[in-house]
Amino acid sequence: MDTAQLLINGLAIGSILSLVAVGLTLTFGILRLPNFAQGDLMTVGAYLTWISNIAGLNIWLSMIAGAIGTVGVMLLTEVFLWKPMRNIRAQPTTLIIISIGLALFLRSSILLIWGGSNQSYDLPILQAIDIFGLQVAYYRIIAIALSLLAIIALHFILQNSQIGKAMRAVADNIDLARVSGINVERIVIWTWVIAGILTAIAGASYGLITAVRPNMGWFLILPIFASVILGGIGNSYGAVTGAYLIGIAQELSVPLLGSQYKLGVALLIMVVMLLVRPQGLFRGTL
Amino acid sequence: MVNYFVFLTISTGIFAIFALGLNIQWGYTGLINFGHVAFMTIGAYTTILLSMQGVPLLIAVIAGSLLAIVLGLLVGFSTLRLREDYLAIVTIGVSELLRLIAQNEEWLTQGTFGLQNYPLPLGEFNPNWLSKGIMIAILSAIALFAVWQLKQGIQGEFQTRKQRQKIARFPLDLGIWGILAIILGGIIYFNGVIALVNYTYKAGLMLLILVTLTILYAIVQRLGQSPWGRVLKAIREDEQVPRALGKDIFWYKLQAFMFGGAIAGIAGAFYAWQLTTIYPNNFEPLISFYAWTIVVLGGAGNNAGILLGAVIFWTYNSVTRFVLPNFDWIDDARLGAFRLLVIGLILMILMIFRPQGILGKKEELTLGR
């Protein structure tokens, strides 16, 4: 395994992480919700894509179906958990414990319904593509391209659309946004929709390059949070940068530490960051 | 049957000790520690590895507990100055990292082969009638202490209600709690006596755990009512208030975090002695959430609540283990998933509708409301 190969792997993982991390940083920054269920929501996205795929849809349609399903699950949690808790102005600690309860609930529901074994999409096995002498698996390129597309789309939504501007306003100051006539509840729903789509795409692409399994998202929760903290909470571009940094650092550490301790690298980066610059590399909204 | 109850008593005792540690961290101080099992891992592996080198068990346990304190210091130092969510995510990461180390550093922990044949407390002990009598006397002393604590607790609650709600008669629900506690304690006590008469290793371990639990319970209870404990509770409710009174918030939080970790380290040693073979998989992140369920269910900041929570948790655990397999639709993997699903549901529902748990005081645990 030479460095260039590891770099490509890091880019692929970073792309996936960046999508989930942006989903988390949006809900974290706008709704003040440190959602520990984010990783498991990604698993939900991967499984929903998988069942649509084995039911006969092609992979792109399955991803759309998975995204719709994930958004649905997120909106359900919004209606039954987060909105009532926001209304009584619950503290972050309460929200954190509820979200970890939700994480356990989602993961065990998946285990209960589909069992614990690895699943994979019904896809043709394609030859690796040769790029400047590097063998890159076809689906890795798909995963990287998908996430770049999603992030560019997000950039235009955040910068140019009414909703994006309103989202940034709500993230900055929710009360000020409300008195300037922004319909905060509508913005909250849109935040969930965007976060849900990004999370589901991430889950589906992670399933493409590894396998679909009940634990896939749970084991990513640390790198996801590390990316968000690294980039400054609430800062989408920061989260993307953080995700690529973490993804690449994890892969590049493999020759030094072995592949078992990737998680330790993410943890180390996060702890160093917390000690040196807890507000993150870029300006966050919290 | 006796042996099964001994097993249940041991498990409940270990997890009550374990959750007492979390109660100091979350229940008293409001620190979100999702990686509580990390302290247990450190405690268990240190105790076992040292005792395999011939270190006396007591010293090995103390060393394990000290290392857990060091871990608490390291984790706490990097995160306790910051927002509460940072501690939550770092502790999850640390607990997973420790498990990975236990799994991969085979020169130290033998990895997934696990550690076997390590020294056990009272492992070669073959008691005669005198020592059996002494052990039963110790068990009886614990039972008396428990009854005294129960009486104190119920009387204290009666007094507060008298003042607050102007009632004269002894309330019915307190009476029911008392009777239930006496029945439960009686079962544990008489079962314990029978087990000690027909002495086995597990009976000795059970007695040791009950002694440890009693001592730790008394210490935590005493500290919780001390000025130190009241500062911790004030930090949980609103840390600006004790800060305005000149308390060093960071130092108090760090102390609470390390103290809770030390207790969990002791729980880890007993956990290893109960299992008699430890694998890295015994220390999954899930174990932390067992403790969370116990604390949230029983009542944050209430030590009697922790005991109640541990009893309910293990009752639930054994009921689901024996009842659910009778249904055809559930296999082994799904059984585990189902039990986890209920834990997740309990955490969500309790935090929404009854964050103070069964025995917690609503007036005390406001959680910002």
Side-chain angles (χ1 to χ4, degrees):
Chain A
M1 286 273 246
D2 60 341
T3 316
Q5 191 73 52
L6 291 171
L7 210 58
I8 300 280
N9 292 352
L11 277 178
I13 294 293
S15 309
I16 289 158
L17 276 181
S18 68
L19 293 182
V20 214
V22 169
L24 176 64
T25 213
L26 287 175
T27 50
F28 205 160
I30 294 175
L31 313 176
R32 306 285 186 263
L33 169 68
N35 195 354
F36 279 78
Q38 182 73 5
D40 296 283
L41 284 163
M42 177 183 157
T43 319
V44 169
Y47 267 87
L48 291 178
T49 308
W50 171 70
I51 53 162
S52 321
N53 184 240
I54 56 164
L57 288 179
N58 77 35
I59 188 73
W60 308 108
L61 288 177
S62 314
M63 279 193 191
I64 294 172
I68 294 172
T70 312
V71 169
V73 173
M74 282 189 169
L75 289 178
L76 282 180
T77 64
E78 160 68 16
V79 171
F80 286 108
L81 300 174
W82 312 126
K83 193 174 175 185
M85 295 317 280
R86 255 202 320 280
N87 287 343
I88 58 167
R89 294 194 174 264
Q91 276 197 332
T93 43
T94 312
L95 298 179
I96 291 172
I97 298 169
I98 293 175
S99 74
I100 205 92
L102 177 65
L104 295 174
F105 179 76
L106 289 175
R107 185 151 47 103
S108 47
S109 305
I110 288 170
L111 257 168
L112 203 58
I113 300 171
W114 292 295
S117 46
N118 285 9
Q119 314 287 358
S120 53
Y121 299 119
D122 178 23
L123 289 173
I125 295 164
L126 294 171
Q127 275 232 298
I129 297 173
D130 202 306
I131 305 175
F132 304 119
L134 273 178
Q135 297 289 311
V136 184
Y138 180 74
Y139 293 117
R140 285 227 160 115
I141 297 174
I142 297 276
I144 296 175
L146 258 183
S147 98
L148 287 180
L149 275 179
I151 286 164
I152 292 168
L154 177 79
H155 169 76
F156 281 109
I157 291 175
L158 283 182
Q159 294 301 328
N160 299 331
S161 73
Q162 278 286 311
I163 293 162
K165 286 176 186 168
M167 274 168 71
R168 284 187 287 146
V170 173
D172 269 343
N173 187 330
I174 189 163
D175 294 321
L176 206 56
R178 192 173 276 131
V179 295
S180 39
I182 292 171
N183 183 346
V184 171
E185 289 307 317
R186 204 170 67 102
I187 297 307
V188 169
I189 299 292
W190 274 109
T191 308
W192 282 114
V193 170
I194 294 172
I197 293 171
L198 296 176
T199 311
I201 296 176
S205 357
Y206 196 44
L208 269 181
I209 65 168
T210 59
V212 178
R213 54 185 195 278
N215 277 336
M216 57 193 284
W218 170 251
F219 283 123
L220 282 186
I221 193 77
L222 184 83
I224 294 169
F225 265 86
S227 313
V228 169
I229 291 170
L230 207 60
I233 292 166
N235 188 328
S236 305
Y237 306 104
V240 173
T241 321
Y244 278 104
L245 281 177
I246 300 257
I248 292 171
Q250 279 192 345
E251 291 300 325
L252 290 185
S253 76
V254 168
L256 297 171
L257 300 171
S259 59
Q260 310 91 336
Y261 289 123
K262 286 180 187 172
L263 180 133
V265 176
L267 182 67
L268 182 74
I269 295 176
M270 183 163 67
V271 168
V272 169
M273 197 66 197
L274 291 179
L275 285 172
V276 179
R277 202 180 150 84
Q279 69 272 38
L281 292 172
F282 306 102
R283 197 180 70 89
T285 56
L286 283 183
Chain B
M1 195 63 187
V2 170
N3 284 336
Y4 188 68
F5 271 111
V6 168
F7 162 78
L8 274 185
T9 312
I10 291 176
S11 306
T12 310
I14 291 171
F15 274 83
I17 297 175
F18 186 50
L20 268 184
L22 185 65
N23 194 32
I24 296 171
Q25 296 169 340
W26 157 247
Y28 280 99
T29 326
L31 305 173
I32 304 190
N33 175 8
F34 282 153
H36 200 43
V37 71
F39 297 114
M40 196 179 219
T41 316
I42 285 268
Y45 271 98
T46 312
T47 309
I48 298 314
L49 289 171
L50 283 180
S51 62
M52 284 173 93
Q53 301 299 318
V55 176
L57 286 177
L58 184 64
I59 296 173
V61 174
I62 292 172
S65 185
L66 284 177
L67 269 190
I69 291 178
V70 173
L71 179 75
L73 183 71
L74 290 176
V75 173
F77 192 79
S78 55
T79 49
L80 285 178
R81 284 180 209 276
L82 307 166
R83 297 154 43 95
E84 53 277 84
D85 17 12
Y86 294 154
L87 179 67
I89 187 69
V90 170
T91 45
I92 289 187
V94 168
S95 72
E96 268 300 272
L97 184 65
L98 275 175
R99 190 171 65 89
L100 285 178
I101 291 174
Q103 200 162 312
N104 291 305
E105 301 304 316
E106 291 182 357
W107 56 275
L108 185 69
T109 63
Q110 294 182 22
T112 44
F113 294 113
L115 290 167
Q116 294 100 355
N117 300 325
Y118 43 76
L120 300 167
L122 307 179
E124 328 236 293
F125 184 52
N126 217 340
N128 54 21
W129 278 105
L130 180 65
S131 35
K132 279 183 186 175
I134 293 172
M135 286 197 286
I136 290 172
I138 295 174
L139 188 65
S140 310
I142 292 173
L144 284 179
F145 177 76
V147 170
W148 177 63
Q149 279 288 319
L150 182 69
K151 182 172 156 285
Q152 291 254 312
I154 287 183
Q155 245 172 10
E157 179 66 24
F158 183 36
Q159 294 299 333
T160 8
R161 284 200 202 176
K162 240 193 218 165
Q163 283 171 2
R164 198 162 290 150
Q165 301 163 349
K166 306 263 179 286
I167 49 165
R169 241 157 41 97
F170 188 76
L172 185 66
D173 63 315
L174 282 185
I176 292 172
W177 275 123
I179 291 168
L180 283 179
I182 294 282
I183 291 174
L184 183 76
I187 293 173
I188 295 173
Y189 175 70
F190 286 111
N191 187 67
V193 170
I194 296 170
L196 284 174
V197 171
N198 310 309
Y199 183 83
T200 55
Y201 161 64
K202 292 278 162 154
L205 186 66
M206 175 194 72
L207 185 65
L208 265 185
I209 287 172
L210 288 177
V211 169
T212 315
L213 176 62
T214 311
I215 294 171
L216 288 174
Y217 179 89
I219 292 174
V220 174
Q221 185 74 358
R222 184 81 199 79
L223 280 175
Q225 290 163 349
S226 73
W228 185 76
R230 290 202 296 269
V231 173
L232 295 188
K233 283 186 178 173
I235 292 175
R236 179 190 68 200
E237 291 310 314
D238 185 350
E239 63 175 61
Q240 300 308 330
V241 176
R243 178 171 288 143
L245 293 171
K247 308 289 183 198
D248 186 350
I249 303 296
F250 174 63
W251 179 225
Y252 272 93
K253 280 186 180 174
L254 199 56
Q255 284 174 335
F257 195 60
M258 291 190 297
F259 183 39
I263 293 180
I266 296 173
F270 282 109
Y271 188 53
W273 289 333
Q274 183 198 19
L275 292 171
T276 65
T277 314
I278 47 170
Y279 302 100
N281 278 350
N282 295 131
F283 302 94
E284 283 188 331
L286 189 57
I287 307 289
S288 307
F289 297 110
Y290 288 174
W292 271 92
T293 314
I294 291 172
V295 174
V296 172
L297 191 66
N302 185 313
N303 297 319
I306 302 300
L307 299 184
L308 179 67
V311 168
I312 294 176
F313 179 79
W314 276 97
T315 311
Y316 160 75
N317 219 337
S318 50
V319 165
T320 48
R321 185 165 295 171
F322 288 112
V323 174
L324 281 180
N326 296 333
F327 300 109
D328 284 338
W329 52 272
I330 205 152
D331 56 31
D332 260 7
R334 289 196 160 81
L335 177 68
F338 180 79
R339 281 157 57 186
L340 191 57
L341 185 132
V342 174
I343 288 179
L345 265 183
I346 289 175
L347 278 179
M348 285 194 281
I349 291 173
L350 279 175
M351 284 316 285
I352 294 174
F353 295 110
R354 204 180 158 85
Q356 75 272 27
I358 298 174
L359 291 187
K361 290 204 177 76
K362 198 170 185 189
E363 315 80 72
E364 264 187 32
L365 187 81
T366 58
L367 287 166
R369 268 182 245 186

PDB file of all heavy atoms in Angstrom, chain B residues 217-229:
ATOM      1  N   TYR B 217     -21.381   2.500  49.182  1.00  0.00           N
ATOM      2  CA  TYR B 217     -22.671   3.186  49.292  1.00  0.00           C
ATOM      3  C   TYR B 217     -22.635   4.177  50.450  1.00  0.00           C
ATOM      4  O   TYR B 217     -23.035   5.333  50.303  1.00  0.00           O
ATOM      5  CB  TYR B 217     -23.786   2.151  49.515  1.00  0.00           C
ATOM      6  CG  TYR B 217     -25.163   2.757  49.670  1.00  0.00           C
ATOM      7  CD1 TYR B 217     -25.955   2.991  48.564  1.00  0.00           C
ATOM      8  CD2 TYR B 217     -25.657   3.101  50.922  1.00  0.00           C
ATOM      9  CE1 TYR B 217     -27.209   3.544  48.691  1.00  0.00           C
ATOM     10  CE2 TYR B 217     -26.905   3.676  51.071  1.00  0.00           C
ATOM     11  CZ  TYR B 217     -27.680   3.891  49.952  1.00  0.00           C
ATOM     12  OH  TYR B 217     -28.916   4.453  50.080  1.00  0.00           O
ATOM     13  N   ALA B 218     -22.105   3.707  51.595  1.00  0.00           N
ATOM     14  CA  ALA B 218     -22.042   4.588  52.767  1.00  0.00           C
ATOM     15  C   ALA B 218     -21.163   5.799  52.478  1.00  0.00           C
ATOM     16  O   ALA B 218     -21.515   6.934  52.828  1.00  0.00           O
ATOM     17  CB  ALA B 218     -21.511   3.816  53.970  1.00  0.00           C
ATOM     18  N   ILE B 219     -20.019   5.568  51.798  1.00  0.00           N
ATOM     19  CA  ILE B 219     -19.115   6.682  51.495  1.00  0.00           C
ATOM     20  C   ILE B 219     -19.805   7.689  50.572  1.00  0.00           C
ATOM     21  O   ILE B 219     -19.810   8.897  50.833  1.00  0.00           O
ATOM     22  CB  ILE B 219     -17.816   6.165  50.828  1.00  0.00           C
ATOM     23  CG1 ILE B 219     -17.007   5.348  51.829  1.00  0.00           C
ATOM     24  CG2 ILE B 219     -16.976   7.327  50.308  1.00  0.00           C
ATOM     25  CD1 ILE B 219     -15.793   4.689  51.213  1.00  0.00           C
ATOM     26  N   VAL B 220     -20.399   7.166  49.477  1.00  0.00           N
ATOM     27  CA  VAL B 220     -21.020   8.067  48.508  1.00  0.00           C
ATOM     28  C   VAL B 220     -22.183   8.822  49.149  1.00  0.00           C
ATOM     29  O   VAL B 220     -22.352  10.025  48.951  1.00  0.00           O
ATOM     30  CB  VAL B 220     -21.491   7.284  47.260  1.00  0.00           C
ATOM     31  CG1 VAL B 220     -22.267   8.188  46.326  1.00  0.00           C
ATOM     32  CG2 VAL B 220     -20.305   6.708  46.531  1.00  0.00           C
ATOM     33  N   GLN B 221     -22.944   8.101  49.953  1.00  0.00           N
ATOM     34  CA  GLN B 221     -24.093   8.718  50.617  1.00  0.00           C
ATOM     35  C   GLN B 221     -23.633   9.846  51.538  1.00  0.00           C
ATOM     36  O   GLN B 221     -24.168  10.950  51.532  1.00  0.00           O
ATOM     37  CB  GLN B 221     -24.831   7.627  51.413  1.00  0.00           C
ATOM     38  CG  GLN B 221     -26.104   8.063  52.072  1.00  0.00           C
ATOM     39  CD  GLN B 221     -27.232   8.247  51.066  1.00  0.00           C
ATOM     40  OE1 GLN B 221     -27.035   8.088  49.873  1.00  0.00           O
ATOM     41  NE2 GLN B 221     -28.398   8.604  51.554  1.00  0.00           N
ATOM     42  N   ARG B 222     -22.573   9.557  52.303  1.00  0.00           N
ATOM     43  CA  ARG B 222     -22.032  10.540  53.242  1.00  0.00           C
ATOM     44  C   ARG B 222     -21.478  11.752  52.469  1.00  0.00           C
ATOM     45  O   ARG B 222     -21.776  12.890  52.812  1.00  0.00           O
ATOM     46  CB  ARG B 222     -20.928   9.864  54.060  1.00  0.00           C
ATOM     47  CG  ARG B 222     -20.318  10.701  55.136  1.00  0.00           C
ATOM     48  CD  ARG B 222     -21.190  10.710  56.394  1.00  0.00           C
ATOM     49  NE  ARG B 222     -20.849  11.836  57.249  1.00  0.00           N
ATOM     50  CZ  ARG B 222     -21.262  13.092  57.042  1.00  0.00           C
ATOM     51  NH1 ARG B 222     -22.018  13.384  56.007  1.00  0.00           N
ATOM     52  NH2 ARG B 222     -20.911  14.061  57.863  1.00  0.00           N
ATOM     53  N   LEU B 223     -20.683  11.470  51.421  1.00  0.00           N
ATOM     54  CA  LEU B 223     -20.093  12.562  50.646  1.00  0.00           C
ATOM     55  C   LEU B 223     -21.167  13.378  49.938  1.00  0.00           C
ATOM     56  O   LEU B 223     -21.046  14.590  49.791  1.00  0.00           O
ATOM     57  CB  LEU B 223     -19.115  12.011  49.610  1.00  0.00           C
ATOM     58  CG  LEU B 223     -17.741  11.644  50.129  1.00  0.00           C
ATOM     59  CD1 LEU B 223     -16.925  10.990  49.024  1.00  0.00           C
ATOM     60  CD2 LEU B 223     -17.016  12.884  50.634  1.00  0.00           C
ATOM     61  N   GLY B 224     -22.237  12.678  49.513  1.00  0.00           N
ATOM     62  CA  GLY B 224     -23.300  13.378  48.797  1.00  0.00           C
ATOM     63  C   GLY B 224     -23.993  14.398  49.676  1.00  0.00           C
ATOM     64  O   GLY B 224     -24.456  15.424  49.191  1.00  0.00           O
ATOM     65  N   GLN B 225     -24.059  14.109  50.996  1.00  0.00           N
ATOM     66  CA  GLN B 225     -24.714  15.064  51.888  1.00  0.00           C
ATOM     67  C   GLN B 225     -23.742  16.100  52.431  1.00  0.00           C
ATOM     68  O   GLN B 225     -24.153  17.056  53.073  1.00  0.00           O
ATOM     69  CB  GLN B 225     -25.358  14.304  53.053  1.00  0.00           C
ATOM     70  CG  GLN B 225     -26.556  13.503  52.609  1.00  0.00           C
ATOM     71  CD  GLN B 225     -26.943  12.447  53.611  1.00  0.00           C
ATOM     72  OE1 GLN B 225     -26.206  12.172  54.547  1.00  0.00           O
ATOM     73  NE2 GLN B 225     -28.094  11.840  53.404  1.00  0.00           N
ATOM     74  N   SER B 226     -22.460  15.896  52.157  1.00  0.00           N
ATOM     75  CA  SER B 226     -21.448  16.819  52.683  1.00  0.00           C
ATOM     76  C   SER B 226     -21.448  18.105  51.847  1.00  0.00           C
ATOM     77  O   SER B 226     -22.069  18.162  50.784  1.00  0.00           O
ATOM     78  CB  SER B 226     -20.079  16.163  52.604  1.00  0.00           C
ATOM     79  OG  SER B 226     -19.663  16.126  51.264  1.00  0.00           O
ATOM     80  N   PRO B 227     -20.771  19.139  52.317  1.00  0.00           N
ATOM     81  CA  PRO B 227     -20.656  20.370  51.511  1.00  0.00           C
ATOM     82  C   PRO B 227     -20.123  20.081  50.112  1.00  0.00           C
ATOM     83  O   PRO B 227     -20.591  20.656  49.133  1.00  0.00           O
ATOM     84  CB  PRO B 227     -19.662  21.211  52.310  1.00  0.00           C
ATOM     85  CG  PRO B 227     -19.800  20.739  53.700  1.00  0.00           C
ATOM     86  CD  PRO B 227     -20.145  19.290  53.633  1.00  0.00           C
ATOM     87  N   TRP B 228     -19.167  19.142  50.012  1.00  0.00           N
ATOM     88  CA  TRP B 228     -18.604  18.780  48.711  1.00  0.00           C
ATOM     89  C   TRP B 228     -19.700  18.309  47.764  1.00  0.00           C
ATOM     90  O   TRP B 228     -19.818  18.757  46.627  1.00  0.00           O
ATOM     91  CB  TRP B 228     -17.557  17.681  48.923  1.00  0.00           C
ATOM     92  CG  TRP B 228     -16.812  17.289  47.695  1.00  0.00           C
ATOM     93  CD1 TRP B 228     -15.818  17.983  47.088  1.00  0.00           C
ATOM     94  CD2 TRP B 228     -16.994  16.091  46.933  1.00  0.00           C
ATOM     95  NE1 TRP B 228     -15.364  17.293  45.996  1.00  0.00           N
ATOM     96  CE2 TRP B 228     -16.062  16.133  45.878  1.00  0.00           C
ATOM     97  CE3 TRP B 228     -17.843  14.993  47.036  1.00  0.00           C
ATOM     98  CZ2 TRP B 228     -15.960  15.121  44.940  1.00  0.00           C
ATOM     99  CZ3 TRP B 228     -17.741  13.980  46.103  1.00  0.00           C
ATOM    100  CH2 TRP B 228     -16.803  14.050  45.059  1.00  0.00           C
ATOM    101  N   GLY B 229     -20.552  17.410  48.263  1.00  0.00           N
ATOM    102  CA  GLY B 229     -21.632  16.869  47.427  1.00  0.00           C
ATOM    103  C   GLY B 229     -22.631  17.942  47.041  1.00  0.00           C
ATOM    104  O   GLY B 229     -23.167  17.927  45.940  1.00  0.00           O
TER     105      GLY B 229
END
